[in-house]
Amino acid sequence: MTRIRRIFAVSAFLVGGFAQAGQGPVTLLNVSYDPTRELYQDYNAAFVKYWKAKTGVDVVIKQSHGGSGKQARSVIDGLEADVVTLALAYDIDAIAEKTGLLPKNWQSRLPDNSSPYTSTIVFLVRKGNPKRIHDWNDLVRPGISVITPNPKTSGGARWNYLGAWGYALRQFGNDEAKAQDFVARLYRNVPVLDSGARGATTTFVERGIGDVLLAWENEAFLAIHELGKDKFDLVVPSVSVLAEPPVSLVDKVAARHGTTAVAQAYLEYLYSPAGQEIAARNYYRPRFKEVAAKYGDRFPRLKLFTVDELFGGWQKAQKTHFEDGGVFDRIYQPGK
Amino acid sequence: MEECLTGSISLESERRTVRFKRPGILPGFWPALGFSLLYLSLIVLVPLSAIFLKTATASWAHFWAAATSPPVLASFRLSFGASFIAALVNAFFGFVLAWVLVRYRFPGKRLVDALVDLPFALPTAVAGIALTSLYTENGWLGRLLAPWGIRVAFTRLGVLVALIFIGVPFVVRSVQPVLEDADREIEEAALSLGANRWQVFTWVVFPLVRPALLTGFAMAFARGLGEYGSVVFIAGNMPMRTEIAPLLIITKLEQYDYTGATAIALVMLVASFLLLLGINLIQWRSRRFAEAA
């Protein structure tokens, strides 16, 4: 396997080398997750202009999207990403750990835990909110059908799950057993577990299944704006999880491609006023207060907790909840 | 009887003497064999041995834990059970379909014939999405079944429906040519010797078709085991209930649990190989039986 991979890598390198020898434009590959398609389409166009103006060099940015875990696995298996922009730190940790293509302290290299924009988990309901769903505790009522993907495969679904768990912890005075019972009841109301966030959105929006979709805020806005304001309403719960999708340079790949400088600039530009504007326009919460203020009414205020606060970081949350035999497995096994 | 059978008996005896290279009329035996073996190795054996190698890197304890955890066992039961039932259903209805297509003439026959291949050609995801939207409670068919309390989408029944859909061409396409080649004169002879229609079917036609039917069954079964695209849409993918084994492989991969994924793959591989080998043996025996009769 590794040998085959090496042959592939070498041939890819040779092909890449020949392409570079022609003094064509610099190519960057950004491996990202599902709901950032629209964000990076906008952002790439802006960055290409910015980089041309600054250095006179043309950049071509290629995008790859898919479930966050799947994308990380592609990079581990040899997809030559110069930068990764994924749904959760755990996935980039996995790349660092399995391949050593980037250092383990990658998350401390850029401001704000390497998350230039944030998001949160909100509810999308049918127009007029016929089932009167207002907060997390409405999701466990009998007869409510909740759509959320499988947290074992979907990054977004893990945020959903942790959002519910965090709400329950606050509600029941940090009683873990009660929180588990709450989350188990919630998942009993889930009729179908899609493998990714986009799949769940399709199930809810196109196939008309379920009363409420747990979704990324940006994905929920997109569904409303693209598919009609007359069909869905957005419901903001009292409290939710602060989702921090991180970005990172893949050091060794970029070094091999000779793209380190431009890749670094690509990520840093996300933190510029222009980059923050683009994120906000695409319904991601900007880190910059000024930009956030400008789009203030777009992002409803709610209490947000972070994974570090409540779960002691992603590694720990992953181990306790989503690993085989973890809490998520247990809530599906009778008698445990 | 004795005399007219001598020809076939001598053929039979010649076939029994196992010789590696039978002198044939066609030249190029060695290049052909060499090419076949190379092709088989590159396309089938190398990827399969990669699975074995990958598993060999893991500890036995990890392998065993991954292959016998409750969700994995539940998925094996579902995958093997649903594929088996679906293949049985297809063996019956596929046979009927092949029979109708071969023995009767009716308007639109060519169209029906072409429709049979559709599950082969259709991307499985398309099939899965189409079936799901048909069978959900507000879909065309689901709406009719709901009053009886029958739910298809997001249940095990849904898995079965998807597997039946993708398996049917295998049976039809393996039985059809055999039925077409079957000598009508043998049936007429049986009829003229006083057999009734049912006897002709059970004693003459069915033994002729049985090996092909078994082939079709085996292929439909094997396809059902490996099917992923169409099933994941309609199954609902609930742990312990409607998670098929191939989905669990993907799930393990997404969790970076390569050992777990290959453990499931290996169990599937060995089990399906043994099952297919068994079916082939039955088929081999029944073909010999058919030839000897």
Side-chain angles (χ1 to χ4, degrees), chain A residues 38-47 269-270 272-284 291 295 298:
Chain A
E38 294 76 12
L39 164 66
Y40 279 107
Q41 262 165 25
D42 275 12
Y43 177 73
N44 290 348
F47 179 76
Y269 192 60
L270 280 167
S272 71
Q276 293 280 300
E277 281 269 356
I278 292 168
R281 264 210 307 276
N282 285 282
Y283 310 104
Y284 281 88
V291 179
Y295 288 87
R298 169 172 285 191

Side-chain angles (χ1 to χ4, degrees), chain A residues 1 4-5 67-70 72-73 76-77 90-92 94 98 150 152-154 158 187 190-195 203 207-209 318 322-324 328-329 332-334 336, chain B residues 46 50 53-54 66 69-71 128-129 132-133 136 138 151 153-154 228 232-243 247-248 250-258 260:
Chain A
M1 281 296 275
I4 293 172
R5 209 177 290 160
S68 188
K70 193 183 293 168
R73 194 161 45 80
I76 291 171
D77 286 343
Y90 180 75
D91 288 326
I92 303 185
K98 306 246 165 192
N150 188 340
K152 298 190 101 173
T153 48
S154 156
R158 267 172 249 174
Y187 276 90
V190 177
V192 46
L193 284 173
D194 287 286
S195 63
T203 298
R207 284 190 257 150
I209 295 164
Q318 176 77 22
F322 309 120
E323 216 111 279
D324 286 341
F328 181 74
D329 271 355
Y332 276 101
Q333 283 169 27
K336 278 198 185 171
Chain B
V46 169
L53 283 178
K54 197 89 188 179
S69 73
I129 291 169
T132 312
S133 49
T136 51
N138 44 16
R151 290 184 59 231
F154 314 134
Y228 173 75
V232 290
F233 287 98
I234 199 167
N237 310 329
M238 306 306 283
M240 304 297 293
R241 292 219 313 273
T242 55
E243 258 182 342
L247 174 74
L248 269 186
I250 305 269
T251 307
K252 299 266 180 208
L253 285 179
E254 313 253 294
Q255 297 175 275
Y256 315 113
D257 181 5
Y258 288 66

Side-chain angles (χ1 to χ4, degrees), chain A:
Chain A
M1 281 296 275
T2 46
R3 189 165 164 204
I4 293 172
R5 209 177 290 160
R6 207 172 302 145
I7 293 170
F8 265 111
V10 166
S11 46
F13 179 72
L14 285 177
V15 171
F18 284 126
Q20 302 253 312
Q23 269 307 320
V26 183
T27 307
L28 276 189
L29 175 61
N30 174 7
V31 171
S32 194
Y33 63 111
D34 255 337
T36 56
R37 257 170 248 265
E38 294 76 12
L39 164 66
Y40 279 107
Q41 262 165 25
D42 275 12
Y43 177 73
N44 290 348
F47 179 76
V48 167
K49 243 186 248 161
Y50 160 79
W51 194 248
K52 177 87 178 163
K54 192 177 171 201
T55 64
V57 178
D58 285 310
V59 204
V60 175
I61 298 153
K62 290 193 188 141
Q63 281 294 131
S64 163
H65 296 276
S68 188
K70 193 183 293 168
Q71 293 292 83
R73 194 161 45 80
S74 304
V75 175
I76 291 171
D77 286 343
L79 180 65
E80 303 246 312
D82 300 279
V83 296
V84 283
T85 54
L86 294 177
L88 32 96
Y90 180 75
D91 288 326
I92 303 185
D93 278 341
I95 300 174
E97 197 179 304
K98 306 246 165 192
T99 64
L101 289 174
L102 61 161
K104 286 200 172 148
N105 68 345
W106 61 270
Q107 203 169 5
S108 59
R109 295 190 297 180
L110 284 167
D112 300 316
N113 284 327
S114 291
S115 305
Y117 39 77
T118 65
S119 190
T120 186
I121 301 300
V122 296
F123 306 161
L124 197 65
V125 296
R126 307 277 168 207
K127 189 74 198 173
N129 199 355
K131 297 273 174 107
R132 293 162 195 274
I133 294 161
H134 300 292
D135 207 347
W136 292 97
N137 56 349
D138 291 314
L139 304 180
V140 300
R141 282 192 343 232
I144 299 289
S145 169
V146 183
I147 303 298
T148 176
N150 188 340
K152 298 190 101 173
T153 48
S154 156
R158 267 172 249 174
W159 293 110
N160 296 350
Y161 173 103
L162 295 179
W165 191 278
Y167 168 85
L169 277 186
R170 275 167 177 262
Q171 206 70 4
F172 304 121
N174 289 327
D175 186 329
E176 296 268 338
K178 281 187 179 160
Q180 178 170 337
D181 176 62
F182 180 85
V183 173
R185 277 193 290 153
L186 193 159
Y187 276 90
R188 237 168 272 150
N189 281 347
V190 177
V192 46
L193 284 173
D194 287 286
S195 63
R198 269 285 149 98
T201 308
T202 314
T203 298
F204 182 78
V205 169
E206 319 253 327
R207 284 190 257 150
I209 295 164
D211 301 311
V212 51
L213 172 75
L214 310 189
W216 293 99
E217 185 178 43
N218 57 294
E219 189 86 340
F221 273 120
L222 208 67
I224 288 182
H225 287 272
E226 304 266 298
L227 300 152
K229 289 181 179 160
D230 50 333
K231 284 192 191 142
F232 307 105
D233 282 337
L234 195 112
V235 171
V236 181
S238 64
V239 51
S240 194
V241 59
L242 179 72
E244 300 177 289
V247 302
S248 179
L249 177 75
V250 185
D251 300 46
K252 289 194 180 156
V253 176
R256 203 158 54 211
H257 293 173
T259 50
T260 306
V262 58
Q264 192 67 35
Y266 179 77
L267 295 179
E268 277 162 10
Y269 192 60
L270 280 167
Y271 291 90
S272 71
Q276 293 280 300
E277 281 269 356
I278 292 168
R281 264 210 307 276
N282 285 282
Y283 310 104
Y284 281 88
R285 293 181 176 226
R287 293 282 192 181
F288 270 35
K289 294 238 159 48
E290 304 82 68
V291 179
K294 195 171 150 195
Y295 288 87
D297 54 334
R298 169 172 285 191
F299 300 110
R301 290 195 181 186
L302 69 162
K303 272 191 220 126
L304 293 171
F305 54 84
T306 67
V307 173
D308 288 352
E309 277 165 30
L310 245 64
F311 302 94
W314 264 109
Q315 291 291 344
K316 200 162 163 234
Q318 176 77 22
K319 211 169 171 66
T320 320
H321 292 277
F322 309 120
E323 216 111 279
D324 286 341
V327 177
F328 181 74
D329 271 355
R330 287 207 297 276
I331 63 177
Y332 276 101
Q333 283 169 27
K336 278 198 185 171

Side-chain angles (χ1 to χ4, degrees), chain B residues 82-83 85-86 89-90 127-128 130-132 134-135 141 145 150-153 155-168 227 230-231 234-235:
Chain B
S83 307
I85 298 171
V89 172
N90 274 331
L131 287 172
T132 312
L134 270 182
Y135 282 107
L141 286 171
L145 293 172
I150 304 173
R151 290 184 59 231
V152 179
T155 66
R156 288 177 184 159
L157 194 57
V159 177
L160 192 63
V161 167
L163 292 183
I164 291 173
F165 175 84
I166 52 130
V168 74
E227 178 60 20
S230 61
V231 179
I234 199 167

Side-chain angles (χ1 to χ4, degrees), chain B residues 25 31 121 170 219 238 241 267 271 284:
Chain B
I25 314 164
F170 290 94
M219 288 200 292
M238 306 306 283
R241 292 219 313 273
V267 172
W284 184 64

